[in-house]
Amino acid sequence: MAAVVSSPHYYEGTEKLLEVWFTSTSNDETCDLRSIKREKWDALLKLVRADIISMMKDEDMDAYVLSESSMFVTKNRFILKTCGTTTLLLAVKELIQMVKAECGFDKVNDIFYSRKNFVHPELQDQLHQSFDKEVSLLDEMFQHGAAYVLGRMNKDCWYLYTLDDVGVDQPDQTFELLMWDMCPKSMEVFTMQVSQDGKDATKRSGICDIIPGIKIDDFLFDPCGYSMNGILPGGFYITIHVTPEPHCSYVSFESNVPQASYEGLIQKVLKVFNPGKFLMTVFANSGSIAHGSLKQLEKIDCLEGYRRNDHQFCSFKNYYLTYTQFSRPVI
Amino acid sequence: MAAVVSSPHYYEGTEKLLEVWFTSTSNDETCDLRSIKREKWDALLKLVRADIISMMKDEDMDAYVLSESSMFVTKNRFILKTCGTTTLLLAVKELIQMVKAECGFDKVNDIFYSRKNFVHPELQDQLHQSFDKEVSLLDEMFQHGAAYVLGRMNKDCWYLYTLDDVGVDQPDQTFELLMWDMCPKSMEVFTMQVSQDGKDATKRSGICDIIPGIKIDDFLFDPCGYSMNGILPGGFYITIHVTPEPHCSYVSFESNVPQASYEGLIQKVLKVFNPGKFLMTVFANSGSIAHGSLKQLEKIDCLEGYRRNDHQFCSFKNYYLTYTQFSRPVI
């Protein structure tokens, strides 16, 4: 890899993540977010400052790799994850209006907006420079919004905005592992100097073995950086984004593939990426088989040589959530 | 009670709460916070804008009723709780210096600074107008400070600043019930119109029956408002503060009396005060008999006609904490 030059450009790998569940108050079964035309998505993403790079689909989901992270569209669920200095929340109002006009869903059933604290909030657009500002904007749109901070406000933390009134009734779970202070050696494979393309990086890194049998769309950026979406029938996905530069290294792993226990998955992901620090969130509603895993995670205060610094468990109206932060002990 | 007049003066009942545990690096057994002279405490409280109204003591603790809430001093533990527009955090540096100079403790073993969100933060001194500002000030003094927000940042929440490095090794627990939107009828007893003095209000309200046998120092303010300290041998206390005015009604109950289960205590306190909403925090370290009660509280999502809106559980380095917020369902 290129040596670190003085004052290199800082790239904020930390993503903003939006998940919106839609419903139709008239129970119109024909509503489907996937009926929205490509140019409409392109226009929406312009507000966010991101572009579609690639797309794959199966019978349950359309999955997009973006210039800044990913987008997943199923019948009634929209997921948008964007990094860098993107302006994700500028798209929320437009999204809701477009969805109503284009495919008939007239109600937001639940919303999850979340992110880790930024390393350089001052480089973000005004709107995203603090969670307070983000909450103000969301509160203007939603009557029953609830804003939380998990972890340490003055160190590493994770922000969440969600709704308190209705909620998703099908089994649902989301697992995220956000990693930083990455081992430089493990990051080399995500550069053009080492790998030829996305497929090559997926194979060399070991990402291909994390969830075998998954359908993959991967992309290696020039000169470095990596994104992948993986999908499984049923609307299940994994998505990985890598910022390999040593001065701002960051990797995110996210999946809604149901797991009765997350330990095996965590071990696989840590082995591939070898972070210095990471935080982990697990969401599950009571219909999910992952529900029991949250209690299991509470007991793990040491993991693969990492030490737990924080652990929190929350009961929301429809979901349970755990937040855990680990780091390698300083020797 | 007097009818509510237009634009009445808003009194912020919500307290700032500081608990500091001291130790001596030379294991000097003679160090004792109670050896600090009264005029030193008076000078410290001047910084905070509070005065001592009354004092009682037993062999383990000195307990002070203040013009704004309470102060408790044991051999190695200092607790200061102040409401209104007091400037509690201005006293922290001075406290540590004074304790070192006057009684020899040269190290802070642990610190807990906490409060509910203010109803009117703009009426507070600059320093206390936001938790961010409070954290900045504490971070200047402590290297291993960790700042948390429990509950909803955009509704009701509770802030905590504590240390992550050392910690208290004796069994310890703290229970707080912070109540607001009080039943006006239940508040009448805390006015001079109904009660003659503190003792009368303690009896009429039923406070005297919450923990029988406790030694009580109570005070009824003119024309209304109430404070009480109760102490038990072993350094155990309860403290109650009542702001009865209908437009800003607020009551706090706090105790470190160990309980294997808090349900009975909660029921007694709710019966006396009858709040519209309340939040509850329970701290316990692993040596405490209250440790098991935290798991018990997780299961209670409905209590005496109140509905749970939020529940969170945190594992800190030395303590476990639960935060729960309840309200009467709106009919």
Side-chain angles (χ1 to χ4, degrees):
Chain A
M1 290 196 74
V4 181
V5 295
S6 62
S7 293
H9 171 70
Y10 191 88
Y11 190 81
E12 188 79 62
T14 309
E15 294 99 346
K16 305 154 185 103
L17 174 60
L18 176 71
E19 181 171 319
V20 189
W21 293 75
F22 290 95
T23 191
S24 148
T25 49
S26 61
N27 291 314
D28 181 353
E29 283 296 323
T30 65
C31 298
D32 192 325
L33 295 172
R34 290 167 301 172
S35 65
I36 295 172
K37 292 203 177 67
R38 167 70 181 256
E39 66 248 36
K40 296 285 177 185
W41 293 123
D42 286 333
L44 187 80
L45 291 170
K46 210 175 262 305
L47 296 174
V48 176
R49 302 182 198 165
D51 300 302
I52 294 170
I53 285 180
S54 173
M55 189 259 206
M56 70 173 166
K57 61 193 294 175
D58 66 9
E59 57 184 311
D60 299 305
M61 182 158 46
D62 298 347
Y64 301 82
V65 174
L66 307 181
S67 54
E68 268 88 7
S69 308
S70 291
M71 180 167 83
F72 298 94
V73 183
T74 60
K75 188 174 173 11
N76 62 340
R77 186 192 66 209
F78 172 80
I79 297 173
L80 180 58
K81 186 170 203 167
T82 67
C83 60
T85 53
T86 48
T87 51
L88 188 147
L89 287 183
L90 286 184
V92 180
K93 198 176 277 181
E94 179 64 22
L95 170 74
I96 294 168
Q97 285 169 356
M98 179 183 81
V99 163
K100 189 172 180 181
E102 299 293 319
C103 74
F105 282 127
D106 57 352
K107 192 173 185 317
V108 169
N109 210 5
D110 215 340
I111 184 169
F112 301 91
Y113 172 70
S114 67
R115 65 172 176 86
K116 185 187 164 304
N117 62 306
F118 295 125
V119 180
H120 286 292
E122 75 283 3
L123 300 179
Q124 295 291 319
D125 185 275
Q126 275 290 337
L127 153 70
H128 285 291
Q129 288 193 358
S130 77
F131 186 54
D132 283 342
K133 286 183 185 172
E134 296 171 325
V135 170
S136 297
L137 186 138
L138 289 162
D139 274 347
E140 282 172 27
M141 286 182 268
F142 302 102
Q143 237 196 321
H144 296 280
Y148 301 92
V149 191
L150 287 290
R152 302 182 190 186
M153 281 184 71
N154 58 343
K155 300 272 163 58
D156 299 316
C157 66
W158 184 81
Y159 300 107
L160 171 69
Y161 187 96
T162 186
L163 299 190
D164 179 37
D165 56 346
V166 272
V168 176
D169 50 8
Q170 67 195 77
D172 183 47
Q173 56 287 313
T174 304
F175 170 80
E176 264 198 305
L177 206 58
L178 308 181
M179 299 163 267
W180 61 101
D181 289 359
M182 311 303 294
C183 160
K185 189 88 193 134
S186 303
M187 290 295 99
E188 287 176 4
V189 70
F190 302 106
T191 66
M192 284 278 183
Q193 279 179 302
V194 171
S195 296
Q196 288 188 321
D197 54 19
K199 197 178 167 193
D200 192 27
T202 300
K203 200 174 165 190
R204 284 173 185 264
S205 62
I207 286 174
C208 56
D209 304 320
I210 293 177
I211 298 189
I214 204 158
K215 189 176 166 188
I216 288 178
D217 186 8
D218 41 22
F219 193 84
L220 186 64
F221 292 82
D222 187 6
C224 66
Y226 169 90
S227 284
M228 78 81 84
N229 293 334
I231 61 175
L232 283 171
F236 299 116
Y237 67 90
I238 71 170
T239 186
I240 297 173
H241 301 281
V242 180
T243 303
E245 295 95 320
H247 67 287
C248 52
S249 63
Y250 172 86
V251 177
S252 71
F253 176 93
E254 178 188 344
S255 177
N256 73 337
V257 176
Q259 305 270 326
S261 163
Y262 283 92
E263 267 192 83
L265 182 62
I266 295 164
Q267 282 160 356
K268 280 183 185 174
V269 176
L270 292 177
K271 200 174 154 210
V272 168
F273 296 109
N274 200 9
K277 294 179 180 169
F278 65 94
L279 69 83
M280 183 167 77
T281 62
V282 187
F283 264 111
N285 59 14
S286 37
S288 162
I289 65 156
H291 180 194
S293 71
L294 274 66
K295 287 283 134 193
Q296 229 184 3
L297 290 171
E298 198 168 302
K299 295 182 194 116
I300 304 172
D301 59 1
C302 194
L303 183 75
E304 306 280 307
Y306 293 90
R307 197 184 55 189
R308 186 168 83 180
N309 299 309
D310 269 304
H311 180 79
Q312 288 175 263
F313 172 82
C314 308
S315 302
F316 298 134
K317 191 156 187 187
N318 306 294
Y319 280 84
Y320 301 92
L321 167 70
T322 64
Y323 165 95
T324 319
Q325 198 269 343
F326 286 88
S327 62
R328 281 199 198 288
V330 180
I331 301 156
Chain B
M1 289 197 76
V4 181
V5 295
S6 60
S7 293
H9 171 69
Y10 191 89
Y11 190 80
E12 187 80 64
T14 309
E15 294 98 347
K16 307 157 184 101
L17 174 59
L18 176 71
E19 180 170 320
V20 189
W21 293 75
F22 291 95
T23 190
S24 147
T25 50
S26 61
N27 292 315
D28 180 354
E29 285 294 323
T30 64
C31 297
D32 192 325
L33 294 172
R34 290 167 301 173
S35 65
I36 294 172
K37 293 204 176 65
R38 167 70 182 256
E39 66 248 35
K40 295 285 175 185
W41 292 123
D42 286 333
L44 187 79
L45 290 170
K46 211 175 262 303
L47 295 175
V48 176
R49 303 182 198 164
D51 299 303
I52 294 170
I53 285 180
S54 174
M55 189 259 206
M56 70 173 165
K57 61 192 293 177
D58 67 9
E59 57 184 310
D60 299 303
M61 182 157 49
D62 298 348
Y64 300 83
V65 175
L66 306 182
S67 53
E68 271 87 9
S69 308
S70 290
M71 179 167 83
F72 298 95
V73 183
T74 60
K75 186 174 172 21
N76 62 341
R77 186 193 66 209
F78 173 80
I79 296 173
L80 180 57
K81 186 171 204 168
T82 67
C83 60
T85 54
T86 48
T87 51
L88 188 147
L89 287 183
L90 285 182
V92 180
K93 197 176 277 181
E94 181 64 24
L95 170 75
I96 295 168
Q97 285 168 357
M98 179 183 83
V99 163
K100 190 171 177 180
E102 298 294 318
C103 73
F105 282 126
D106 57 354
K107 193 174 182 319
V108 168
N109 210 5
D110 214 339
I111 183 169
F112 302 89
Y113 172 70
S114 67
R115 66 172 174 88
K116 185 188 165 304
N117 61 305
F118 294 125
V119 179
H120 286 292
E122 76 281 5
L123 299 179
Q124 295 291 319
D125 185 275
Q126 274 292 335
L127 154 69
H128 285 291
Q129 288 192 356
S130 77
F131 186 54
D132 283 343
K133 285 182 185 171
E134 295 171 326
V135 171
S136 297
L137 185 139
L138 289 162
D139 274 347
E140 281 172 27
M141 285 183 269
F142 302 102
Q143 238 195 322
H144 297 279
Y148 301 90
V149 191
L150 287 290
R152 302 182 189 185
M153 280 183 71
N154 59 342
K155 299 271 164 60
D156 298 318
C157 65
W158 185 80
Y159 301 108
L160 170 70
Y161 187 96
T162 185
L163 299 189
D164 178 39
D165 57 348
V166 272
V168 176
D169 50 8
Q170 68 195 76
D172 183 47
Q173 58 286 312
T174 304
F175 170 80
E176 263 198 305
L177 205 59
L178 309 181
M179 298 162 268
W180 61 102
D181 289 357
M182 310 304 295
C183 160
K185 188 88 194 137
S186 303
M187 292 293 100
E188 286 176 6
V189 70
F190 302 107
T191 66
M192 284 278 184
Q193 280 179 300
V194 172
S195 296
Q196 289 190 319
D197 55 18
K199 197 176 167 195
D200 192 28
T202 300
K203 200 174 166 192
R204 284 172 184 264
S205 62
I207 286 173
C208 57
D209 303 320
I210 294 176
I211 298 188
I214 203 156
K215 187 177 168 189
I216 288 178
D217 186 8
D218 39 24
F219 193 85
L220 186 65
F221 292 82
D222 186 7
C224 66
Y226 169 90
S227 284
M228 76 80 85
N229 292 334
I231 61 176
L232 283 171
F236 300 115
Y237 67 90
I238 71 169
T239 186
I240 296 173
H241 301 282
V242 180
T243 303
E245 294 95 319
H247 67 286
C248 54
S249 63
Y250 172 87
V251 176
S252 72
F253 176 93
E254 178 188 342
S255 177
N256 73 337
V257 175
Q259 304 272 323
S261 164
Y262 282 92
E263 267 192 82
L265 183 61
I266 295 164
Q267 282 161 357
K268 280 184 186 174
V269 176
L270 292 177
K271 199 175 154 212
V272 169
F273 297 108
N274 199 10
K277 295 180 180 170
F278 66 94
L279 71 81
M280 183 168 77
T281 62
V282 187
F283 264 109
N285 60 14
S286 38
S288 163
I289 64 155
H291 180 194
S293 72
L294 274 66
K295 288 283 135 193
Q296 229 183 6
L297 291 172
E298 199 167 302
K299 295 182 195 117
I300 304 172
D301 58 2
C302 193
L303 186 76
E304 306 282 306
Y306 293 89
R307 198 183 57 189
R308 187 169 82 180
N309 299 306
D310 270 304
H311 179 78
Q312 288 175 261
F313 172 81
C314 308
S315 301
F316 299 134
K317 192 154 187 187
N318 304 296
Y319 280 84
Y320 301 93
L321 168 70
T322 65
Y323 165 94
T324 318
Q325 196 269 341
F326 287 87
S327 62
R328 280 199 200 289
V330 180
I331 301 156

